[in-house]
Amino acid sequence: MTVAEPGRTALILIDLQGSNADHPVHPHTTDAVLERCVRLIEAARRAGSLVVHVRTSFLPDEADSLSGKLRTDIERPARPVRRQGWDHFLPGIEPLPTEPVIIKRSWNAFHGSDLDLQLRRRGIDTVVMAGISTGFGVEGTARAAFDHAYNVVFVPEAMAAYTAEQHDHSVRVIFPQLGCVRPLDEVVEELVPTAATP
């Protein structure tokens, strides 16, 4: 699978926000993922492809989160302590006024949001996935994109997870079942010649 025509392709960036700067990720650092995502953003914008920014956020009392609404007899991780700015985009990620910002309240950015509407109204049929975390937000959103019949392209160099094992499992086992795994340079180069055409 190759990246589609720029007008039919969207770059979806998952959770490049403050909370993911608070802990180590693997096999790439947050800074490395951020730098590579910026390369993808620049190429997509030059090509005329849509850039979609996804971030996790909740109301101040988190009444719109799943925390506290699931069975209490099943052991689950404690709700994290939220620091100031945890849901703000990291430096270097500044959405343009024409770029959708999607609020995600679970692993899947399609659930309870207008992401599918934003894509379909623009005639998008291919999504390029990047961000943090590989096995949670990226994979969860990609599974839903597949269910919605989008072509999915994964850029593992522009992703990271809480462990290298989580990242590797998604990249090797799950992603090839949902779409096409492509190197960063190939995706950027495929967009850039189109962008450079007079």
Side-chain angles (χ1 to χ4, degrees), residues 43-192:
R45 286 173 176 167
R46 288 175 57 200
S49 293
L50 179 67
V51 179
V52 179
H53 305 266
V54 175
R55 66 185 180 93
T56 299
S57 188
F58 305 107
L59 294 170
D61 63 357
E62 299 202 14
D64 54 342
S65 78
L66 287 173
S67 177
K69 297 172 180 60
L70 302 173
R71 286 175 53 184
T72 57
D73 59 329
I74 298 175
E75 185 176 342
R76 302 182 189 281
R79 190 172 83 184
V81 176
R82 311 289 190 190
R83 69 165 176 81
Q84 186 73 23
W86 73 274
D87 59 349
H88 295 180
F89 288 117
L90 292 169
I93 305 299
E94 289 91 22
L96 298 179
T98 54
E99 295 173 347
V101 174
I102 302 297
I103 303 300
K104 179 168 72 62
R105 295 174 177 83
S106 70
W107 294 359
N108 166 12
F110 284 89
H111 181 72
S113 80
D114 66 346
L115 176 55
D116 186 52
L117 177 66
Q118 294 285 353
L119 298 175
R120 293 195 188 279
R121 284 194 170 172
R122 292 168 172 83
I124 301 297
D125 61 20
T126 300
V127 295
V128 177
M129 301 294 307
I132 302 173
S133 149
T134 311
F136 292 92
V138 176
E139 183 179 316
T141 301
R143 286 174 180 263
F146 178 85
D147 288 341
H148 283 78
Y150 291 99
N151 302 308
V152 186
V153 178
F154 298 96
V155 188
E157 295 156 89
M159 302 175 191
Y162 300 120
T163 70
E165 291 78 13
Q166 288 176 349
H167 176 87
D168 184 61
H169 181 268
S170 293
V171 171
R172 286 189 310 102
V173 179
I174 305 300
F175 291 171
Q177 306 301 315
L178 301 176
C180 182
V181 179
R182 300 279 302 281
L184 173 67
D185 288 344
E186 284 188 16
V187 174
V188 169
E189 288 169 11
E190 191 164 327
L191 288 168
V192 169

